[in-house]
């Protein structure tokens, strides 16, 4: 067991855990943050995406020890409590959510894209999502939602 | 038609999806998100061989593993140990015969996932391998090894035959005959939330189960039967599924979970199949071999069709017979053909389990028909769209299966819309703009899809709607929302009748303690069947509210003078208002609750040739229609196919919610695109070559084209809602539309799907003999 | 339960390796942690290289570009140096895995895994890259083609790590070409790939052609005969078809569930024909 200190959704966390526990298990089972999903365990689907220092990353292929000193953001922390991030709002309004199991990972990948590229083209958007598989939507409304979120963010003062 | 259903709203307006915010926030609790204090993990040892005598399961080493609490085998199953909806031929745990690699042979319960993994690894099997059958046609040959020695049909699970006119004999009179054998792959659902559930045996003896399923009430009966339990002890809740598409139509983890829970009273038990386990143990879309012969006269009028559809159902029924029957009903498409002979067979093999998957046997059947239509168009030298338009059945005709196609005029509208679309009209110019080493072509398909259960099994729903004490409402969903948004539509329907905004509604997901059975979330039926039931329940409640509000306003006020507005009943003439809270206070609990039992229409026309076929759902009364167009580019150097444009014109009756309908179509089309181009759960000799999502390929965001969806809205007279099923029809179109486009680009039609680059390069003549 | 060490520099890394010589090293985890899933080795210690500062260099050194082994694919792809001077590598990186895999996986990891389908290998072969290896007592360089020995096998010795890759900067104006055939547009394991670096004379004639194929043999395949068939002439249908025939003879592909050997062989040549198209 090791002692870990990191920032989780803006709050400092100190805990003891097995060093080689997968980050997705630490989040879901130990910390109760079940918004992070797991669907393949092998980096092929992106359902377990979290942001580590702002960068999307697969929590099924990250070990707990690697979180030391990092800033982690899960879907629960993408927006302040009680609010929706512009990407989440656009997903809701534009019909980008169906079964919803890919949605947390998609939303985090999308938020990271917009942080880096405020007005991505449709093709750039599709490229940024290429590691997040969705089986329900056919992706079209997800792409449209992200472009709408980009426009909404641009319009903000 | 209700007066209130669309009062004040444009039809097809967008009503907010009730589940979207919680899902986008990561707050929605799926079955898989349940853990709990003192959690135990349960898991299954899989056989790993396709056909064998199981002599014994060596469990001692596993029992010695630290953290392993129990290892159970078939002998520990208290009941008949049989599951299945039509034929109960699947054991919970194998007794003495292994029939496919994914069969469960032992159940391990452990204190942690790590201990569970060690326990499962420590189990070994004492087996004698048996010769297997891996090709459904070989399985029908005399002397083939049998899957179920007790099945009177041998390896033939079910076959259905239909004949019209002179049948296949009429082909001899046709100057033009197209003939082909098409091979379609085994498609994996690949929902992101793999099979899982949570269970706990309470002190009261009740067994709490939360499971990712499409069929909560039926599961309860199946589990109870398999384990010899009183079904009333099982309290089953079915939260939103993280995808299902038919793969959770029937038990997956349920009996195993309950078995584990019974062994550890009071402890929460979790079972969560890994992706690899889901792949090997879960059901798949039936691979199919489709033998088609289609004949026409010199004017391009279809005269004769002979088709044989062979579905590989794997080792267990798992609704495979129903799949084959629905395929039979759709095998001749929506055309007028005087002489028809159809045979559809579901055959046992030692391959992975074939089962329900969006489309339910129809994607295979329509692929056979629509691909053969283009072959015939080629022989006739006729435009493929014109061939379809010329032969489309009219309202007075019956389909090749003999079924009256109510609303088939809508399909003519769909084909006409494609005919006028730029991608079709200007295809010659578009094709000529292909770059170096590229070929372009456009292909299409004409589709129909039946809704519901057919003539024998009642397609019914029992909707429940409650006015709360504070004047708000609670909608109980009786059919699972696996992602399609039906639960939200139930709220929408109630909201429109009661003229209340969405936030005045609570929504409950199916719970066997709270709602009666309303059937499965399948067969494109949920919005139709439960929707019509909730519509009627809302109308009942509305009438009571208005009556009570009128009484509050005095003896001279009639309910008909009032209308509803957000939070109140209003008398426009008197300028008087009654808050709904006040109405609720005056209504008894019973009067605030409305239930309605709705039964969807059925037809006995034509009468099934035998009762077995009728029991398996033949025929249906309500159909939806669509026509699809795919514009593809083929790379001559690699054989890669790219879909650059896609148009789907659908007629599913009245559009209740345009956004949700578009979601269904877009998702189905891209699943269908995967089926056409990538997806093949390859399992030669019963052993999977594609055990995970790295090897089983589903479309990514970069493989999916932007799609155009157009909806025609023919009036549907079969129900008050005026809509028809829409969840499945979209998946029927891409494989034949893309297949026809690729065939046109290559000059020859590849017979095997998916259209991998290798198969396309072969069609281009670069790899030896062309097919 | 495994110990996981996260050394911050080479000094700490050598200490950790000294302490646990049997430890398994990983950087992004996109290969090792996937393999560990099917073959759990619960007790074996792990060393994660993601924080080792010396592995993150990315710089121009004279006529070479130095790419630290710990650079993630995303970082390389975002770097102007790579995009402008090594477009052939950038194109391969752009179709490697997915953005998530590229955010985690590293160049060193791609080399150490030594998969015949490793996407960065063909461009690095075509570029004539050198691999720099380090142990506590010395640093050595060897050509990439001598480093990769076979599927999953490299010249890395116990106690050694990959420090980085040194890439000779190609001539200005050289044509950089990369194409990969996979089962889909992203998250695809290569069925066949071709990296081609073509230096031309002012006249347009080919001075030097560097060709390297992925997934067409146990290691990256090169074919001097095909290169010679292009050198001294133009890139036209005739010369490319000649080179394509030679390439098909040079490759030694396998059958697997993704594609047959016959398909791979055919496509090995076909991919060259694309060079006739305008770049």
């Amino acid at each position: 067991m090791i002692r870990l200190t990191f920032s989780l959704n803006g709050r400092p966390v100190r805990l003891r855990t097995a060093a080689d526990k997968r980050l997705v298990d630490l989040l879901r089972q130990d910390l109760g943050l079940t918004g992070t999903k797991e669907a393949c365990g092998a980096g092929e689907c992106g359902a377990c995406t979290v942001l580590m220092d702002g960068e999307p990353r697969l929590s099924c292929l990250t070990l707990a020890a690697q979180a030391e000193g990092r800033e982690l953001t899960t879907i629960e922390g993408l927006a302040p409590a009680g609010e929706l991030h512009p990407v989440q709002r656009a997903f809701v309004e534009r019909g980008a959510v169906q079964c919803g199991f890919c949605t947390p990972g998609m939303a985090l990948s999308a938020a990271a894209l917009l942080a880096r590229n405020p007005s991505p083209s449709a093709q750039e958007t599709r490229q940024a999502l290429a590691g997040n598989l969705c089986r329900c939507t056919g992706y079209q409304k997800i792409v449209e939602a992200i472009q709408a979120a980009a426009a909404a963010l641009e319009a903000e003062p | 038609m209700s007066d209130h259903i669309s009062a004040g709203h444009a039809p097809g307006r967008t009503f907010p999806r009730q589940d979207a915010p919680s899902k986008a926030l990561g707050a929605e609790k799926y079955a898989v998100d349940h853990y709990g204090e003192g959690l135990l993990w349960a898991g299954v040892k899989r056989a790993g061989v396709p056909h064998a005598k199981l002599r014994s399961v060596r469990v001692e080493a596993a029992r010695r593993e630290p953290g392993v609490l129990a290892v159970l085998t078939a002998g520990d199953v208290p009941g008949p140990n049989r599951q299945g909806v039509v034929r109960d031929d699947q054991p919970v745990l194998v007794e003495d015969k292994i029939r496919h690699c994914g069969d469960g042979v032992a159940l391990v319960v452990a204190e942690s996932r790590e201990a569970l993994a060690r326990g499962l690894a420590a189990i070994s099997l004492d087996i004698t391998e048996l010769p297997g059958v891996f090709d459904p046609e070989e399985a029908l040959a005399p002397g083939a090894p049998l899957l179920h020695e007790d099945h009177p049909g041998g390896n033939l699970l079910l076959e259905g035959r239909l004949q019209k006119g002179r049948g296949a004999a009429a082909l001899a009179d046709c100057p033009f005959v197209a003939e082909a054998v098409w091979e379609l792959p085994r498609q994996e659902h690949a929902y992101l939330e793999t099979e899982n559930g949570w269970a706990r045996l309470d002190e009261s003896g009740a067994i709490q189960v939360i499971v990712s399923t499409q069929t909560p009430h039926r599961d309860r009966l199946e589990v109870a039967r398999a384990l010899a339990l009183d079904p009333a002890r099982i309290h089953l809740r079915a939260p939103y599924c993280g995808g299902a598409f038919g793969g959770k139509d029937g038990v997956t983890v349920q009996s195993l979970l309950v078995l584990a829970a019974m062994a550890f009273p009071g402890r929460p038990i979790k079972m969560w199949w890994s992706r690899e386990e889901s792949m090997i143990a879960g059901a798949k879309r039936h691979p199919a071999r489709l033998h088609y012969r289609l004949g026409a006269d010199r004017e391009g009028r279809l005269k004769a069709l002979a088709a044989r559809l062979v579905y590989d159902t794997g080792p267990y029924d798992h609704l495979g017979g129903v799949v084959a029957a629905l395929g039979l009903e759709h095998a001749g498409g929506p055309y007028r053909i005087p002489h028809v002979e159809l045979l559809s067979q579901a055959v046992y093999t030692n391959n992975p389990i074939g089962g329900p998957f969006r489309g339910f046997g129809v994607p295979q059947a329509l692929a056979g028909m629509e691909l053969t239509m283009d072959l015939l168009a080629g022989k006739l030298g006729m435009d493929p769209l014109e061939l379809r338009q010329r032969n489309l059945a009219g309202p007075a005709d019956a389909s090749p299966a003999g079924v009256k196609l109510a609303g088939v005029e809508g399909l003519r509208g769909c084909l006409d819309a494609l005919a006028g679309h730029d991608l079709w009209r200007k295809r010659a110019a578009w094709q000529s703009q292909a770059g170096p080493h590229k070929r372009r072509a456009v292909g299409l398909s004409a589709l129909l899809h039946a809704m519901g259960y057919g003539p024998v099994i009642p397609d019914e729903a029992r909707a429940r709607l409650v006015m709360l004490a504070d004047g708000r409402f609670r909608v109980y969903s009786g059919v699972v929302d696996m992602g399609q948004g039906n639960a939200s539509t139930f709220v929408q329907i109630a909201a429109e009748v009661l003229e209340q905004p969405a936030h005045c509604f609570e929504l409950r997901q199916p719970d066997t303690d709270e709602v009666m059975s309303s059937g499965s979330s399948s067969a494109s039926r949920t919005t139709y069947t439960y929707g019509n039931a909730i519509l009627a329940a809302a109308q009942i409640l509305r009438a009571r509210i208005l009556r009570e509000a009128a009484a509050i306003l005095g003896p001279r006020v009639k309910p008909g003078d009032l209308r509803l507005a957000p939070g109140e009943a209003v008398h426009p003439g008197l300028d008087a208002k009654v808050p709904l809270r006040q109405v609720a206070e005056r209504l008894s609990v019973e009067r605030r609750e409305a239930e309605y039992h709705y039964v969807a229409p059925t037809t006995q026309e034509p009468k099934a040739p035998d009762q077995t076929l009728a029991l398996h759902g033949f025929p249906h009364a309500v159909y939806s229609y669509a026509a699809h167009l795919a514009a593809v580019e083929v790379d001559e150097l690699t054989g890669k196919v790219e879909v650059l444009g896609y148009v789907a014109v659908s007629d599913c009756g009245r559009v209740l919610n345009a956004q949700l309908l578009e979601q269904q179509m877009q998702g189905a089309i891209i699943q269908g695109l995967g089926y056409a181009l990538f997806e093949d759960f390859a399992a030669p000799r019963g052993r999977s070559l594609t055990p995970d999502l790295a090897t089983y390929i589903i479309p990514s965001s970069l493989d999916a084209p932007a799609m155009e969806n157009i909806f025609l809205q023919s009036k549907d007279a079969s129900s008050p809602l005026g809509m028809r099923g829409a969840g499945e029809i979209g998946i029927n179109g891409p494989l034949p539309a893309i297949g026809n486009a690729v065939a046109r680009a290559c000059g020859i039609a590849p017979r095997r799907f998916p259209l991998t680059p290798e198969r396309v390069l072969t069609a281009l003549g670069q790899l030896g003999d062309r097919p | 339960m495994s110990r996981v060490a996260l050394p911050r520099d080479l000094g700490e890394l050598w200490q950790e390796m000294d302490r646990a010589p049997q430890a398994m090293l990983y950087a992004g985890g996109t290969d090792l942690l996937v393999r560990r899933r099917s073959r759990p080795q619960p007790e074996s210690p792990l060393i994660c290289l993601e924080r080792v500062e010396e592995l993150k260099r990315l710089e121009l050194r004279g006529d070479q570009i130095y790419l630290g082994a710990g650079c993630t694919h995303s970082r390389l792809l975002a770097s102007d140096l790579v995009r402008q001077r090594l477009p052939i590598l950038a194109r391969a990186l752009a179709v490697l895995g997915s953005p998530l895999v590229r955010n985690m996986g590293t160049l060193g990891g791609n080399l150490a895994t030594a998969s015949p389908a490793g996407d960065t290998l063909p461009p690095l072969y075509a570029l004539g890259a050198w691999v720099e290896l380090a142990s506590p007592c010395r640093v050595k360089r060897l050509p990439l083609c001598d480093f990769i020995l076979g599927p999953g096998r490299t010249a890395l010795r116990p106690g050694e790590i990959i420090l980085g890759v040194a890439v000779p900067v190609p001539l200005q104006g050289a044509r950089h070409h990369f194409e990969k055939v996979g089962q889909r547009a992203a998250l695809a394991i290569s069925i066949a790939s071709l990296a081609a670096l073509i230096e031309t004379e002012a006249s347009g004639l080919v001075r030097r052609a560097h060709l390297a194929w992925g997934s067409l043999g146990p290691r990256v395949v090169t074919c001097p005969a095909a290169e010679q068939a292009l050198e001294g002439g133009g890139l036209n249908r005739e010369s490319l078809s000649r080179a394509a025939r030679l390439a098909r003879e040079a490759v030694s592909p396998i059958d697997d569930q993704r594609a047959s050997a016959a398909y791979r062989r055919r496509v090995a040549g076909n991919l060259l024909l694309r060079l006739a198209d305008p770049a």
Side-chain angles (χ1 to χ4, degrees):
Chain A
M1 301 291 270
I2 56 164
R3 191 177 290 282
L4 273 187
T5 306
F6 57 97
S7 154
L8 178 58
N9 296 330
R11 292 190 179 165
V13 174
R14 286 170 67 84
L15 51 79
R16 281 172 61 78
T17 179
D20 66 342
K21 179 176 285 208
R22 301 180 314 158
L23 183 57
V24 64
D25 296 328
L26 181 74
L27 292 169
R28 285 179 53 83
Q29 192 173 355
D30 298 0
L31 297 169
L33 296 174
T34 53
T36 302
K37 303 303 183 196
E38 180 182 355
C40 77
E44 292 290 336
C45 77
C48 68
T49 301
V50 297
L51 302 183
M52 195 179 258
D53 294 343
E55 194 171 65
R57 188 175 174 104
L58 298 155
S59 63
C60 74
L61 297 181
T62 302
L63 301 182
Q66 291 174 257
E68 174 62 33
R70 304 287 197 195
E71 274 185 31
L72 274 183
T73 306
T74 68
I75 190 66
E76 290 89 347
L78 184 58
E83 293 178 31
L84 291 167
H85 183 279
V87 164
Q88 290 168 315
R89 179 171 300 114
F91 270 49
V92 169
E93 289 171 356
R94 301 276 169 155
V97 179
Q98 290 194 35
C99 93
F101 218 73
C102 76
T103 305
M106 282 286 181
L108 289 165
S109 281
L113 166 69
L114 297 185
R116 182 175 82 238
N117 178 357
S119 51
S121 67
Q123 186 62 15
E124 286 168 335
T125 305
R126 285 181 182 272
Q127 276 163 353
L129 303 178
N132 295 87
L133 294 179
C134 170
R135 193 56 160 165
C136 294
T137 65
Y139 303 101
Q140 187 157 330
K141 289 185 184 298
I142 295 176
V143 174
E144 289 165 2
I146 294 167
Q147 303 220 276
L153 279 164
E154 294 265 275
E156 274 180 15
Chain B
M1 170 66 75
S2 153
D3 292 332
H4 308 294
I5 179 67
S6 57
H9 309 304
R13 80 199 178 94
T14 291
F15 181 85
R17 248 188 98 131
Q18 299 298 291
D19 52 342
S22 62
K23 287 175 173 177
L25 286 164
E28 187 61 48
K29 291 281 179 215
Y30 299 79
V32 80
D33 297 328
H34 293 267
Y35 293 86
E37 278 300 308
L39 185 74
L40 301 180
W41 290 81
V44 184
K45 176 73 180 177
R46 301 286 163 190
V49 294
H51 203 192
K53 274 275 161 217
L54 178 61
R55 308 212 168 276
S56 69
V57 184
R58 300 192 196 94
V59 299
E60 296 71 24
R63 286 190 176 135
R64 284 196 300 271
E65 279 291 335
V68 170
L69 301 183
V71 183
L72 306 178
T73 60
D76 301 304
V77 177
N81 190 22
R82 284 288 177 280
Q83 305 176 124
V85 175
V86 179
R87 279 199 86 223
D88 55 346
D89 57 3
Q90 182 171 9
V92 179
L93 291 170
V94 168
E95 289 147 21
D96 54 4
K97 185 165 168 172
I98 290 164
R99 297 188 181 85
H100 82 124
C101 286
D103 263 337
V105 293
L107 173 67
V108 177
V109 184
E111 281 176 335
S112 67
R113 267 173 136 175
E114 295 71 26
L116 176 62
R118 286 196 311 273
L120 290 170
I123 294 173
S124 60
L125 307 181
D126 179 7
I127 56 167
T128 307
E129 288 213 45
L130 298 169
V133 281
F134 305 103
D135 180 285
E137 294 190 70
E138 287 170 18
L140 294 178
L146 291 175
L147 271 286
H148 300 273
E149 289 79 1
D150 62 343
H151 184 240
N155 286 333
L156 182 63
L157 168 62
L158 179 95
E159 75 174 13
R161 284 176 192 274
L162 295 172
Q163 185 170 335
K164 200 163 98 173
R166 288 186 290 119
L171 283 165
D173 306 335
C174 295
F176 294 94
V177 176
E179 181 169 356
V181 181
W182 309 99
E183 297 266 1
L184 267 53
R186 182 181 291 110
Q187 189 180 22
E188 155 66 24
H189 303 77
Y191 27 73
L192 289 189
E193 185 195 20
T194 53
E195 295 84 345
N196 76 89
W198 179 101
R200 189 186 62 220
L201 172 60
D202 287 349
E203 266 176 51
S204 66
I207 305 157
Q208 310 294 339
V209 183
I210 304 170
V211 64
S212 191
T213 180
Q214 295 170 244
T215 45
H217 286 84
R218 203 181 72 204
D219 292 353
R220 184 161 74 150
L221 296 176
E222 259 195 274
V223 172
R225 200 175 57 221
L227 306 182
L229 292 170
D230 175 1
R233 287 182 65 190
I234 301 173
H235 172 205
L236 202 146
R237 281 178 280 166
Y240 289 106
C241 291
F245 314 116
K248 297 170 185 172
D249 180 348
V251 295
T252 55
V253 298
Q254 290 87 326
S255 299
L256 296 154
L257 253 183
V258 171
L259 192 57
M262 302 290 284
F264 294 93
R267 297 291 293 270
I269 315 268
K270 188 175 179 69
M271 177 179 284
W272 184 5
W273 291 359
S274 69
R275 177 58 57 186
E276 293 83 349
E277 186 171 17
S278 171
M279 287 279 195
I280 195 65
K284 313 276 174 270
R285 184 186 306 289
H286 291 69
R289 190 172 297 142
L290 310 159
H291 304 257
Y292 268 77
R293 286 181 292 156
L294 179 63
D297 66 15
R298 291 180 198 287
E299 284 71 46
R301 283 187 296 250
L302 299 181
K303 288 294 171 194
L305 166 67
R308 178 178 170 220
L309 289 65
V310 185
Y311 292 91
D312 175 354
T313 206
Y316 302 114
D317 177 307
H318 202 63
L319 298 170
V322 191
V323 166
L326 197 65
L328 179 74
E329 188 174 333
H330 292 76
Y335 303 110
R336 187 192 315 114
I337 311 177
H339 306 287
V340 178
E341 194 167 321
L342 303 174
L343 169 61
S344 180
Q345 300 172 308
V347 185
Y348 284 129
T349 67
N350 295 109
N351 290 325
I353 303 172
F357 188 160
R358 188 184 220 163
F360 210 83
V362 180
Q364 296 95 320
L366 286 182
M369 187 64 197
E370 287 299 288
L371 292 165
T372 309
M373 281 292 278
D374 266 40
L375 287 188
L376 186 62
K379 292 202 179 255
L380 287 159
M382 200 170 166
D383 175 293
L385 181 52
E386 194 189 333
L387 179 66
R388 287 172 172 84
Q389 287 170 319
R390 183 168 298 184
N391 289 287
L392 187 63
D397 300 314
S399 80
V403 186
K404 265 281 175 24
L405 297 176
V408 72
E409 315 87 281
L411 180 51
R412 186 166 296 284
C414 295
L415 288 170
D416 291 347
L418 279 190
H421 196 281
D422 274 358
L423 269 181
W424 181 254
R425 282 195 312 119
K426 300 182 179 168
R427 64 191 186 282
W430 181 75
Q431 284 161 196
S432 70
Q433 287 159 16
H437 305 298
K438 303 285 185 190
R439 297 185 188 186
R440 288 178 170 183
V442 174
L444 38 85
S445 56
L447 316 170
L448 72 168
H449 202 101
M451 195 265 335
Y453 291 159
V456 178
I457 312 292
D459 192 332
E460 58 191 348
R462 297 173 180 88
R464 185 176 175 208
L465 175 63
V466 170
M467 185 184 204
L468 302 171
D470 62 1
R472 295 182 314 118
F473 299 88
R474 180 184 296 146
V475 171
Y476 289 86
S477 170
V479 279
V480 169
D481 191 327
M482 49 182 164
Q484 74 271 52
N486 49 326
S488 192
T489 303
F490 303 152
V491 176
Q492 177 185 344
I493 291 168
E496 292 188 358
V497 173
L498 297 166
E499 299 182 68
Q500 301 301 306
H503 66 80
C504 291
F505 288 84
E506 286 180 8
L507 171 59
R508 299 287 276 260
Q509 298 309 308
D511 179 323
T512 55
D513 276 9
E514 292 183 346
V515 288
M516 308 254 281
S517 173
S518 290
S520 56
S521 182
S522 67
S524 300
R525 66 178 289 275
T526 60
T527 302
Y528 188 99
T529 308
Y530 202 85
N532 275 304
I534 200 86
L535 173 69
Q539 284 164 342
I540 292 168
L541 205 52
R542 175 186 169 93
R544 286 185 197 152
I545 291 167
L546 292 182
R547 212 159 36 236
E548 199 60 36
I552 292 169
L553 288 175
R556 284 194 318 240
V557 175
K558 296 187 188 65
D561 300 336
L562 299 178
R563 60 177 181 77
L564 290 173
E568 57 199 19
V570 181
H571 191 302
L574 298 177
D575 196 21
K577 295 172 177 178
V578 182
L580 291 186
R581 178 190 292 271
Q582 194 184 344
V583 173
E585 280 164 3
R586 290 175 50 120
L587 285 170
S588 68
V589 171
E590 292 72 30
R591 302 277 298 158
R592 283 197 271 114
E593 171 141 356
E595 290 194 341
Y596 189 85
H597 180 198
Y598 174 82
V599 184
T602 56
T603 180
Q604 304 288 340
E605 195 55 47
K607 218 169 162 42
D610 58 70
Q611 187 56 19
T612 311
L613 200 54
L615 267 173
H616 285 78
F618 178 88
H620 290 76
V622 180
Y623 281 86
S624 296
Y625 302 95
H628 286 199
L629 178 154
V632 309
E633 186 166 271
V634 171
D635 185 78
E636 292 173 339
L637 298 181
T638 61
K640 270 206 243 186
V641 176
E642 203 175 344
V643 179
L644 297 178
Y646 204 96
V647 184
V649 190
S650 310
D651 181 6
C652 305
R654 194 170 77 93
V655 176
L656 301 189
N657 185 317
Q659 188 181 71
L660 263 67
L661 184 58
E662 260 187 17
Q663 288 182 335
Q664 283 304 296
M665 290 306 160
Q666 292 176 351
I669 288 166
I670 299 307
Q671 271 181 353
L673 178 146
Y675 189 41
L677 295 180
F678 309 135
E679 300 187 34
D680 184 2
F681 190 83
R685 305 198 65 73
R687 291 168 199 269
S688 167
L689 292 179
T690 52
D692 51 34
L693 289 180
T695 47
Y696 185 83
I697 304 299
I698 66 172
S700 76
S701 56
L702 290 171
D703 300 295
M707 297 157 264
E708 184 180 350
N709 270 288
I710 299 165
F711 296 102
L712 309 181
Q713 301 193 53
S714 300
K715 277 200 174 144
D716 185 76
S718 72
S719 86
L721 273 180
M723 52 75 68
R724 300 190 294 257
E728 295 175 281
I729 187 165
I731 201 162
N732 299 331
L735 188 142
I738 292 169
N740 286 332
V742 170
R744 193 156 285 265
C746 294
I748 193 167
R751 301 297 204 260
R752 287 181 79 97
F753 288 78
L755 296 175
T756 59
E758 176 152 7
R759 289 182 180 141
V760 174
L761 208 59
T762 306
L764 288 167
Q766 292 196 37
L767 288 168
D769 292 340
R770 307 223 293 187
Chain C
M1 204 182 303
S2 302
R3 226 174 70 78
V4 182
L6 286 149
R8 284 166 299 184
D9 55 37
L10 281 180
E12 289 185 8
L13 173 61
W14 303 135
Q15 278 175 23
E16 292 291 348
M17 289 173 72
D18 191 45
R19 188 172 153 193
Q22 79 284 20
M24 293 200 283
L25 274 58
Y26 75 102
T30 55
D31 284 312
L32 181 81
L33 297 185
V34 176
R35 286 205 299 276
R36 213 166 165 255
R37 174 179 171 79
S38 51
R39 289 193 301 276
Q41 290 164 315
E43 303 310 325
S44 120
L46 296 168
I47 300 176
C48 178
L49 300 169
E50 68 179 14
R51 300 187 188 201
V52 177
E53 210 46 53
E54 293 91 331
L55 300 181
K56 297 183 184 174
R57 293 181 181 133
L58 171 48
E59 60 208 17
L60 186 64
R61 292 184 184 170
D63 58 356
Q64 295 193 330
I65 293 172
Y66 189 84
L67 311 171
C71 291
T72 64
H73 304 305
S74 290
R75 179 157 170 244
L76 294 174
L77 198 49
S79 122
D80 285 341
L81 199 54
V82 173
R83 289 148 64 101
Q84 286 163 15
R85 311 298 287 274
L86 306 175
I88 189 173
L89 178 61
R91 278 170 210 174
L93 290 166
V95 294
L96 185 155
S98 72
L100 290 157
V101 170
R102 296 197 289 269
N103 283 350
M104 298 168 67
T106 61
L107 186 64
N110 209 235
L111 300 189
T113 300
S115 161
D119 286 319
T120 65
L121 300 180
L124 291 175
Y125 265 67
L127 288 162
W130 292 70
V131 184
E132 195 168 74
L133 307 177
S135 59
C137 43
R138 70 172 190 146
V139 172
K140 71 179 181 198
R141 278 190 180 194
L142 67 167
L144 176 60
C145 53
D146 295 337
F147 174 75
I148 307 278
L149 303 178
R153 291 194 305 120
T154 67
L156 202 60
R157 300 222 182 116
E160 271 181 351
I161 62 153
I162 306 172
L163 206 53
V165 174
V167 184
V169 179
L171 295 176
Q172 291 282 356
R175 178 158 171 200
H176 291 241
H177 176 87
F178 179 83
E179 182 174 357
K180 162 173 156 178
V181 182
Q183 287 175 291
R184 64 183 153 195
L187 284 165
I189 298 171
S190 160
I191 290 171
S193 68
L194 168 67
L197 184 66
I198 313 283
E199 298 165 14
T200 47
E201 311 278 2
S203 62
L205 296 183
V206 174
R207 183 188 319 145
R208 281 283 288 130
H210 307 271
L211 307 173
W213 287 263
S215 300
L216 287 162
R219 306 192 303 162
V220 170
V221 173
T222 53
C223 180
E227 292 172 348
Q228 282 156 24
L230 299 179
E231 286 163 2
L235 288 179
N236 51 49
R237 184 185 289 251
E238 292 68 37
S239 66
L240 289 166
S241 297
R242 204 159 55 240
R245 276 195 299 279
L246 294 164
R248 291 189 190 109
E249 286 167 21
V251 298
S252 51
I254 56 160
D255 287 303
D256 65 16
Q257 99 278 354
R258 292 184 183 91
S260 70
Y263 172 81
R264 288 186 160 100
R265 189 179 297 281
R266 177 80 201 177
V267 168
N270 282 5
L271 288 176
L272 278 174
L273 305 181
R274 192 91 65 201
L275 289 167
D277 302 347

